[in-house]
Amino acid sequence: MQGKGKIREISREVNYIAEGIALLQHLGVGERYEDLKESLGKKYAKPFREGLRKFEILERIEKNASKVFRKDMEEVRYYFSVKGEGGLNCAGKLVLLWEDSMLGTVYDAAGLRRFLAGLSEKEYCTKFGKCLHSFVNMVLDDGKIMKTEEPFAVISCLMKLEMEESEKWKLQKIFFDRKEHEGKVLLLLEKAVDVLESFREELEELTGIFSHYWAEELKGDSPAAYMREMAEIDLGESPYGFFLYPSIVSPNIISWHAEMEDYGEYKEPDLFRIGILFGEDFDIKTSRARNDEEFGNYALQAMKLLGDRSKFEILSCIRDGEAYGSKLAKHLNLTTATVSYHMNALVAAGLVEIKRVHNRVYYRTNKTALKEVLDYIRKSLTGE
């Protein structure tokens, strides 16, 4: 990428493939936007404003999709449910070899079909292996991803995954019976895209709000710098700039992707996806910076996390020094997927700081946040 200019792009386009996959996973997992709205209502003290309009659109999409896929739910659940604690992915995404890095290159089912049909065996094995790593966030102790350029290497990688044997067998069948599964999942995806395209006007309204908000919020800065300042998450920053995309159907997620060499050098701009609920109602800043009533809600949520033994032990383990996921897993006798699952909750609550060094992510207890929560609880219960 030598000589390439620095990119700073906030997209307002709807990627119907990414959103169609998200819709199928929403149905496969059995999530409901009504439950999400209730959960956020308990977490935040102030009432919804623009979020009500967003939820209204999402609930109508959900209702329509439930009708359309009423007879296909067995297949939807087979491919798009998430199995196991800490699961980050689903079999359907693996069938399609879908990664966030494809957001700017594949926009429709025809393009995805061409991409899949054009892969050589070596390219397919390499891509499948790369997607396997993200399936349960598996990172080796040396921070490198296993090379999978032929079938035996793919199966060796699969056998190392921390998941039930029945799931490994399922993914193995998907790998060897590629065309059969591609055909089934592509048909489901095309139906999901049709549902979403019937809401094209509303989706463009949401992405318009998204791009306007983030242009104002970032003020020319990068999402990486913003996350570092507001959420104490240090992901590093690509010298080639960034792309920022809206996540509509998964409205409360934040994800980051960087294409890097094994030795940690950047190859491409950073790619961020941020859920459309983050905005006027829900900013990324830690909730403890809000007013007293909202901080009370935040403190209670934080105490619930501290009441979980595994989360408590993780925080104790990184109290005086940083550690990466697989090191924590070995020390606490947990799987890396389970550590990732607990970390997601702790990071979201601002109780853990993140720092990336090359291809490895390190975690450390946020002592300031913990002290504020415990001080609030002490004063509330003892008056001291």
Side-chain angles (χ1 to χ4, degrees), residues 17-41:
I17 295 300
E19 297 301 335
I21 291 170
L23 179 57
L24 289 166
Q25 188 162 340
H26 179 82
L27 296 173
V29 173
E31 297 172 330
R32 296 198 316 156
Y33 291 120
E34 182 181 348
D35 295 334
L36 176 60
K37 183 167 64 175
E38 182 180 348
S39 172
L40 291 174

Side-chain angles (χ1 to χ4, degrees), residues 15-208:
N15 186 303
Y16 284 95
I17 295 300
E19 297 301 335
I21 291 170
L23 179 57
L24 289 166
Q25 188 162 340
H26 179 82
L27 296 173
V29 173
E31 297 172 330
R32 296 198 316 156
Y33 291 120
E34 182 181 348
D35 295 334
L36 176 60
K37 183 167 64 175
E38 182 180 348
S39 172
L40 291 174
K42 290 179 180 177
K43 184 176 180 180
Y44 294 87
K46 65 182 179 182
F48 293 103
R49 296 193 299 274
E50 66 174 28
L52 285 176
R53 170 62 177 161
K54 294 173 182 177
F55 271 114
E56 186 269 330
I57 294 171
L58 291 171
E59 285 171 351
R60 286 198 289 118
I61 292 172
E62 179 183 76
K63 184 177 180 180
N64 186 291
S66 296
K67 290 180 180 178
V68 169
F69 285 98
R70 182 170 53 84
K71 296 181 179 180
D72 301 306
M73 283 308 300
E74 185 175 346
E75 271 198 349
V76 171
R77 282 189 287 267
Y78 180 81
Y79 288 112
F80 290 95
S81 61
V82 175
K83 297 288 187 181
E85 189 176 60
L88 301 174
N89 226 317
C90 61
K93 289 177 74 172
L94 195 59
V95 172
L96 300 172
L97 303 182
W98 179 263
E99 297 180 284
D100 277 352
S101 59
M102 298 163 68
L103 278 166
T105 57
V106 179
Y107 295 92
D108 55 38
L112 186 55
R113 283 183 183 275
R114 286 193 298 272
F115 164 74
L116 293 170
L119 293 173
S120 66
E121 182 181 87
K122 180 179 177 179
E123 289 169 332
Y124 175 70
C125 289
T126 300
K127 185 78 169 174
F128 195 94
K130 188 178 178 184
C131 291
L132 269 179
H133 281 82
S134 66
F135 195 89
V136 290
N137 199 30
M138 185 181 77
V139 180
L140 302 186
D141 287 338
D142 60 3
K144 296 180 181 179
I145 292 177
M146 289 180 65
K147 302 296 183 184
T148 55
E149 297 181 346
E150 44 84 26
F152 178 77
V154 173
I155 300 306
S156 296
C157 178
L158 176 58
M159 291 302 105
K160 294 179 184 292
L161 290 177
E162 296 165 341
M163 59 170 57
E164 296 175 5
E165 291 301 316
S166 60
E167 281 298 296
K168 291 182 182 180
W169 177 241
K170 175 179 173 178
L171 298 185
Q172 185 172 312
K173 287 195 294 183
I174 284 172
F175 174 71
F176 285 116
D177 299 329
R178 169 188 173 187
K179 294 301 180 182
E180 175 189 347
H181 293 285
E182 276 181 15
K184 291 178 179 179
V185 175
L186 282 167
L187 286 176
L188 292 174
L189 179 58
E190 286 169 350
K191 290 177 74 170
V193 168
D194 287 342
V195 169
L196 292 168
E197 286 187 334
S198 69
F199 291 88
R200 181 178 292 272
E201 186 176 329
E202 291 94 332
L203 296 186
E204 290 177 354
E205 173 193 341
L206 295 177
T207 57

